[in-house]
Amino acid sequence: MARSATSPVSQQGAATDVLDAARLRWCDAFVRVRAETERRAAHLSAEDQIVQSMADASPTKWHRAHVTWFFETFLLGPHLAGYTTFDERFPFLFNSYYVAAGPRHARPQRGLITRPNADDVTAYRAHVDAAVTRLIESITQADAPRVFEILEIGLHHEQQHQELLITDILHAFAQNPTDPVYDAGWQPPKPAAGPRGFVAVPPGIMAIGHEGGGFCFDNERPFHDELIANMRIARHLVSNAEWLAFIEAGGYRTPSLWLSDGWTAVQNESWQAPGYWRQKDGAWHVLTLGGVNPVDPAAPVLHISYYEAEAFARFAGKHLPSEAEWEVAARTGLLADAFGTAWQWTRSAYLPYPGYRAAEGALGEYNGKFMVSQMVLRGSSLATPEGHERVSYRNFFYPSARWQFSGLRLAEFV
Ligand SMILES: [Fe+2]
């Protein structure tokens, strides 16, 4: 008897086709993301991969292993029958901050771990890559939604570490008097053209956050309303030329421009310019991924802390936008260089959106427990991997941090 299009057998066949297509898609995504990490690390020697230049930064080798541990711990252990841990000593070394996942090595001492060496980490990655591929290929219809959900988090997690790998090694290279070059062929992003100046953001009750399908981190939810005042936002990022004017006007020597904690940081850290700027032959230069270059006046300023962004806004007689103002402006298409050059400091503290609750279990530690004492940055940077940015994405750092590719755009109230 011929099968009708709606018979249970054909429905089962269609479901298998859907699962097979999902398997292919996730295998492809997994291979691409894992390869990008290795592509970024390939510019670095085994010696480069060990160094940890400050407590906030991690060695390249640690990043490569930690993202692998994440898949091993949250995906393979619970979901791949018969999976054997690559090395029983690794979870202690490569757990970052997941208290529920067990004890861990002290973060400031990651740079002291010479063994496992870089080759051992390469073998660890290969072991986990093969196991994840096996899991994807053998997953049942019933287990697929949860497995693909954790896999997706793991991929976005690895992309976050791809950015940190770059910012951390640049910080390490900045401590080296020989000015190492990460990638001799590196070129800065071209700043957006078009008229500068301020544009009005639609005022009123406006919704922000992640809505509907597609991936987001839990901190982007719930989608909710915010009140936007009558205000205008700068189309462009603040440039190095504008920052030079701040320096020349004595910005770093004028306590009245600074928050109290900011002024303390200026004095303790002897800040006189953005991170990685140095005077050479009477002119400002900056260490980039392509080596030391003269500061380009037209390029957006990078490597500034929240304290510096806030002081600059005060100096300019302006403000920083809130994250809601930034998001509404970005959704309206008002912003040049919203993505791909500099994370942009906002004046918003990193807090839960109304009604936010972190998930139960270890993965609930991903974002929620950091929602105090940090400030939100929006957009994405030149180090953000392709496809990782979102209009609702919330990055966050302590206000003194400036080793990220962080800049600012201004706002004014009318
Ligand atoms: Fe991590």
Side-chain angles (χ1 to χ4, degrees):
M1 194 172 81
R3 280 195 338 230
S4 81
T6 55
S7 76
V9 175
S10 73
Q11 281 175 2
Q12 200 179 7
T16 306
D17 289 347
V18 170
L19 182 58
D20 282 345
R23 284 192 180 114
L24 278 177
R25 209 167 52 246
W26 286 114
C27 262
D28 182 57
F30 181 74
V31 167
R32 268 189 292 115
V33 169
R34 297 286 283 172
E36 175 62 15
T37 303
E38 294 301 285
R39 194 188 66 76
R40 291 179 180 220
H43 293 281
L44 303 170
S45 68
E47 292 90 340
D48 291 333
Q49 292 196 33
I50 297 172
V51 72
Q52 179 178 30
S53 53
M54 63 171 166
D56 284 342
S58 297
T60 298
K61 187 179 73 179
W62 185 90
H63 285 299
R64 294 175 59 225
H66 162 70
V67 293
T68 306
W69 165 85
F70 191 97
F71 286 114
E72 183 172 66
T73 303
F74 299 123
L75 190 67
L76 297 175
H79 295 284
L80 182 61
Y83 176 74
T84 38
T85 302
F86 178 75
D87 187 317
E88 293 297 340
R89 300 167 300 178
F90 282 17
F92 182 81
L93 291 176
F94 300 126
N95 177 0
S96 52
Y97 54 67
Y98 297 88
V99 176
R104 71 217 67 85
H105 188 240
R107 178 176 179 157
Q109 289 161 23
R110 288 174 186 164
L112 303 180
I113 305 301
T114 57
R115 299 180 189 188
N117 62 32
D119 287 343
D120 296 330
V121 169
T122 300
Y124 181 34
R125 288 180 65 88
H127 174 86
V128 166
D129 286 351
V132 169
T133 306
R134 268 201 320 278
L135 174 61
I136 295 172
E137 285 170 354
S138 63
I139 193 67
T140 62
Q141 190 83 52
D143 292 340
R146 182 61 182 151
V147 161
F148 292 151
E149 184 186 3
I150 297 170
L151 178 64
E152 187 167 39
I153 294 171
L155 294 177
H156 287 266
H157 171 253
E158 182 145 351
Q159 287 185 310
Q160 290 184 314
H161 280 275
Q162 287 166 0
E163 175 147 8
L164 294 172
L165 185 158
I166 297 287
T167 57
D168 292 358
I169 199 65
L170 186 61
H171 186 270
F173 283 173
Q175 318 310 312
N176 184 330
T178 67
D179 300 330
V181 175
Y182 169 75
D183 175 4
W186 180 83
Q187 293 290 329
K190 253 189 153 32
R196 296 182 74 84
F198 289 75
V199 285
V201 178
I205 296 172
M206 309 294 283
I208 69 160
H210 188 84
E211 186 191 25
F215 179 82
C216 74
F217 285 113
D218 61 351
N219 62 4
E220 297 163 55
R221 290 198 159 113
F223 188 64
H224 67 282
D225 288 336
E226 294 274 354
L227 181 62
I228 306 297
N230 283 316
M231 55 94 55
R232 287 148 43 98
I233 194 163
R235 282 197 70 240
H236 289 79
L237 302 175
V238 167
S239 68
N240 285 329
E242 291 168 307
W243 205 271
L244 283 162
F246 173 68
I247 294 172
E248 282 158 19
Y252 282 95
R253 299 190 305 273
T254 310
S256 59
L257 292 174
W258 295 80
L259 294 167
S260 175
D261 288 353
W263 185 242
T264 301
V266 168
Q267 294 177 303
N268 288 348
E269 308 295 327
S270 304
W271 286 344
Q272 298 176 38
Y276 311 146
W277 283 32
R278 66 273 308 260
Q279 291 269 16
K280 216 170 118 184
D281 305 325
W284 282 111
H285 287 65
V286 59
L287 180 67
T288 71
L289 295 171
V292 173
N293 293 329
V295 166
D296 174 4
V301 68
L302 297 170
H303 304 300
I304 52 154
S305 62
Y306 174 80
Y307 294 137
E308 289 163 289
E310 213 275 342
F312 180 91
R314 194 176 300 235
F315 165 77
K318 309 290 184 191
H319 301 270
L320 298 177
S322 70
E323 63 170 321
E325 291 159 358
W326 187 98
E327 186 171 326
V328 170
R331 285 180 185 276
T332 316
L334 301 176
L335 306 183
D337 290 330
F339 300 99
T341 301
W343 289 101
Q344 296 137 65
W345 288 106
T346 72
R347 68 174 193 278
S348 298
Y350 180 50
L351 293 171
Y353 283 166
Y356 168 84
R357 279 262 183 266
E360 297 289 324
L363 279 175
E365 296 182 50
Y366 199 111
N367 283 309
K369 70 181 187 182
F370 299 108
M371 290 176 172
V372 67
S373 305
Q374 306 202 53
M375 301 301 289
V376 172
L377 302 96
R378 289 306 202 98
S380 67
S381 88
L382 59 88
T384 309
E386 203 182 315
H388 190 67
E389 70 280 344
R390 272 187 304 285
V391 76
S392 58
Y393 198 108
R394 307 175 78 199
N395 202 351
F396 51 92
F397 279 94
Y398 289 102
S400 59
R402 61 181 201 163
W403 89 107
Q404 298 302 302
F405 293 96
S406 48
L408 77 161
R409 75 176 67 235
L410 297 173
E412 62 181 17
F413 291 88
V414 289

